[in-house]
Structures are given as C-alpha cells and as structure tokens.
Amino acid sequence: MNSHERAMERRQFLKGTLGAASLVALAGCDNLSHSSWFPSILSKTEKLTERAQRAITPTNALAKEYGEADISKVFPANGNTDPGTGEYAEHVAQEFANWTVMVGGLVQTPTSWTLAALKELPSRTQITRHDCVEGWSAIGKWTGAPLGDLIRQVQPLPNARYAVLYCADVDEDGVLYYESMALADCFHPQTILAYELNGAPLDIPHGAPIRLRFERQLGYKQAKYVTMIELVETLSGIRGGKGGYWEDDQGYEWYAGI
Ligand SMILES: Nc1nc2c(c(=O)[nH]1)N[C@H]1C(S)=C(S)[C@@H](COP(=O)(O)O)O[C@H]1N2
Ligand SMILES: [Mo]
C-alpha cells in the first residue's frame, strides 16, 4: 500500500469512528485544500532542507502574531480528537488533576510537572496561525509555559540534541503519536506547552490538557496530549527513526518550517 492509500484508509477510519465535530473538520480539510497558501508552504518544505531554511530565517525569528479580531470563529480539530483510552478517560473524570508532563532522558535532573505546576510557571500568550498540510489554517490564541523554562530547569547534558514528545493517543494500529524537535527550538520564545486556547482551558479535541505550540512549524508538529518529553542524542533508535508519527509513516518532512 502506498502512502496515499494509507492516508485514505486512515481518513476512512477516522470518518467511521469519530463524532460529528471531527467529521466537520475532515470535510473542511477537503474543501480548503485549494486555498492559495497551501501550494506555497508545501513546496517550501519540500525544497528547503533544515539547514537552508535556518540559513534564511534567524533561529529566533518570531512567527507572525495576530490581533484578537483575527481569531478564527472555529478552530478545527484534526488528527486524533480524543485519545479514547481508559486511562485518558480517567484523567478527564479527574479534570486532569493528576496529569503530569515528565521531562527526562539526557538531563541532570529529570522532573515531572503536574498541570497545576505548569500553570504556576510564568506564561506566554500568543495569537498565531496554524497551518495543516491537509489544507486548512486557523488563527488561535494560545497560553502556556515556555518549554525553554522547563528544559533549563532539568539541565540538559552536553550530548542532548533533540526533544522527543510522547502523546497519550494511539492510532488504529495501537501506535502512540509522537513528535520531535531540535533542542535549540525548545528555547524559541514562541515554543510553549499550551493549556489554554482562546482564553479557555484546552478542550479534548485540541489536546487537553497540554499540547505543544511550535509556531514556526506545520500543524503535525504541534503535539497534543503531551505526557513525556525525552532529550536524546539521536532520533534513529526511536520508533521508525524519522522523528515523528507522520514522518515515520507518511514520509512527511521532519523539519516542517514555515
Ligand atoms: N497527539 C496528537 N497530536 C497531534 C495530532 C494527533 O493526531 N495526535 N495531529 C496533528 C495534526 S496533523 C494537526 S493539524 C494538529 C491539529 O491540532 P488541532 O486538533 O488542535 O487543530 O495537531 C497535530 N498534533
Ligand atoms: Mo495537520
């Protein structure tokens, strides 16, 4: 089966099992796939290597931030919109009081943060545009803790080069969603572990209680339902070795800069 067929099969699966809200989101993907910005972001990510892109965009350049008036009335939810496991359902019942994000791997002091502890850290709020490769975009206001603050606290070892984010959701084959990024990008000022969307606690479809916002990258890098962040030296030993769920399976670019 080629990757297009797999994507189709996945979509059929999603249509067959998810609720009405996600159906709307999927339909939206089809309808919007001809929007004007879509071909340009795709060709950009195809043609530019990470190095070339970093050379033309300073590492700390900010993604464009918008005003309150620009916030999309509906922010679609895409991919998994509920992890659907018993364990996750328990967290929902407890209003995520026992949810933790563990940061470990190549660090001096592995540390876990509860949701409440994350909310006590200094926060950042940003209104940005999310671009999904399936052809839709939406502007939302995100609030969360800068990931760099957590990483500084755990003290990365000198050989740590990447952060791997593990999520609570599994696909139809039982494969857990995961993503990864260069350690340097964890310190970008707009890289946050978000717990609010548009001033309200993150809802389940958008990744409750914690999801990554990594604003200069495409939608599939924005990991939802984050449970664990592991600092590693190489991505090659992890799962398919390509650094993310879509990268392993569908040939998506690891460096999805926009
Ligand atoms: N854990 C997890 N994170 C995920 C996904 C997913 O299926 N599971 N889908 C990705 C994709 S393709 C997109 S476009 C965005 C969608 O985020 P949203 O549902 O808040 O719009 O989440 C990304 N992060
Ligand atoms: Mo996406």
Side-chain angles (χ1 to χ4, degrees):
M1 203 189 293
N2 67 31
S3 73
H4 179 71
E5 285 163 350
R6 294 185 67 146
M8 291 298 290
E9 192 181 75
R10 181 178 163 81
R11 170 164 299 215
Q12 281 312 119
F13 169 81
L14 290 170
K15 280 186 173 160
T17 55
L18 297 179
S22 41
L23 281 182
V24 172
L26 286 169
C29 289
D30 292 336
N31 295 339
L32 289 169
S33 62
H34 303 294
S35 68
S36 56
W37 56 267
F38 182 57
S40 72
I41 59 167
L42 255 196
S43 56
K44 246 196 213 164
T45 53
E46 275 168 8
K47 283 182 199 139
L48 294 182
T49 64
E50 176 186 5
R51 253 178 89 194
Q53 187 146 355
R54 283 196 194 279
I56 57 165
T57 321
T59 307
N60 272 338
L62 295 182
K64 180 178 162 74
E65 294 196 11
Y66 295 80
E68 296 272 343
D70 303 314
I71 294 173
S72 302
K73 292 205 174 54
V74 176
F75 197 111
N78 199 41
N80 283 330
T81 53
D82 186 336
T85 65
E87 201 180 332
Y88 185 80
E90 245 173 72
H91 282 294
V92 173
Q94 298 162 353
E95 297 179 340
F96 302 107
N98 296 308
W99 189 275
T100 55
V101 176
M102 212 279 272
V103 187
L106 298 175
V107 305
Q108 257 169 49
T109 44
T111 308
S112 278
W113 280 266
T114 62
L115 179 59
L118 280 176
K119 287 182 176 174
E120 274 167 24
L121 297 175
S123 72
R124 190 181 201 282
T125 295
Q126 57 207 27
I127 302 176
T128 53
R129 193 183 74 188
H130 173 109
D131 294 328
C132 171
V133 291
E134 287 181 39
W136 58 273
S137 68
I139 293 174
K141 178 165 81 171
W142 303 96
T143 298
L147 179 55
D149 291 350
L150 282 73
I151 303 290
R152 266 185 287 273
Q153 195 165 320
V154 297
Q155 304 175 75
L157 297 177
N159 54 339
R161 290 190 53 210
Y162 303 96
V164 183
L165 293 96
Y166 296 94
C167 307
D169 54 324
V170 291
D171 74 1
E172 60 267 38
D173 304 319
V175 178
L176 278 165
Y177 200 95
Y178 81 108
E179 256 306 333
S180 64
M181 62 204 293
L183 184 58
D185 286 329
C186 296
F187 296 100
H188 184 280
Q190 290 167 320
T191 298
I192 63 174
L193 290 180
Y195 44 75
E196 277 182 18
L197 171 58
N198 297 335
L202 207 54
D203 60 9
I204 293 170
H206 295 100
I210 300 286
R211 70 99 49 87
L212 178 71
R213 292 303 308 172
F214 179 16
E215 301 294 356
R216 296 215 344 261
Q217 299 255 321
L218 290 169
Y220 60 89
K221 302 298 288 191
Q222 320 295 325
K224 306 193 275 191
Y225 319 109
V226 174
T227 59
M228 203 170 76
I229 301 175
E230 183 188 16
L231 269 50
V232 298
E233 183 166 12
T234 165
L235 300 171
S236 64
I238 298 166
R239 305 277 182 79
K242 301 208 173 84
Y245 175 82
W246 295 101
E247 289 91 328
D248 283 346
D249 236 37
Q250 310 285 346
Y252 283 25
E253 291 287 334
W254 174 77
Y255 191 80
I258 47 179

